[in-house]
Amino acid sequence: GELKKDTKIIIGQVTKRQSAQADVGFVMWPSAIVLSRWLMSNPHLIQGKSVLELGAGCGLVGIVVASLLTRLRDNQEPT
């Protein structure tokens, strides 16, 4: 399964904390951006799989995976 060529997920990093709380869950980790972009380039690696994200920070990778799996599933359904 491939994604349609017009599929886009825009990833941007917030540089300021959105909360005064010093918790790592409020951080957009650079590794999450790198992994998300890599997954966008290699969606076939997660096709038909269940994915569990642990230590998610803001949850970017989980959001990207959910979006990719939904789009891959929708592209497979007969029209």
Side-chain angles (χ1 to χ4, degrees):
E2 294 183 20
L3 294 174
K4 295 177 183 175
K5 295 294 180 191
D6 62 345
T7 299
K8 292 181 184 178
I9 296 177
I10 298 173
I11 302 168
Q13 185 171 8
V14 175
T15 56
K16 291 184 177 181
R17 285 200 182 271
Q18 294 180 348
S19 170
Q21 185 176 356
D23 187 275
V24 296
F26 289 96
V27 176
M28 177 73 73
W29 296 102
S31 57
I33 295 170
V34 171
L35 180 55
S36 295
R37 287 184 175 149
W38 183 79
L39 288 168
M40 287 292 299
S41 297
N42 299 285
H44 63 280
L45 295 174
I46 60 170
Q47 185 173 14
K49 297 195 166 102
S50 296
V51 178
L52 172 64
E53 181 182 17
L54 300 173
C58 292
L60 175 66
V61 176
I63 293 167
V64 169
V65 166
S67 178
L68 288 172
L69 289 174
T70 298
R71 291 167 190 252
L72 286 166
R73 183 199 64 224
D74 291 348
N75 287 343
Q76 288 183 346
E77 293 178 3
T79 56

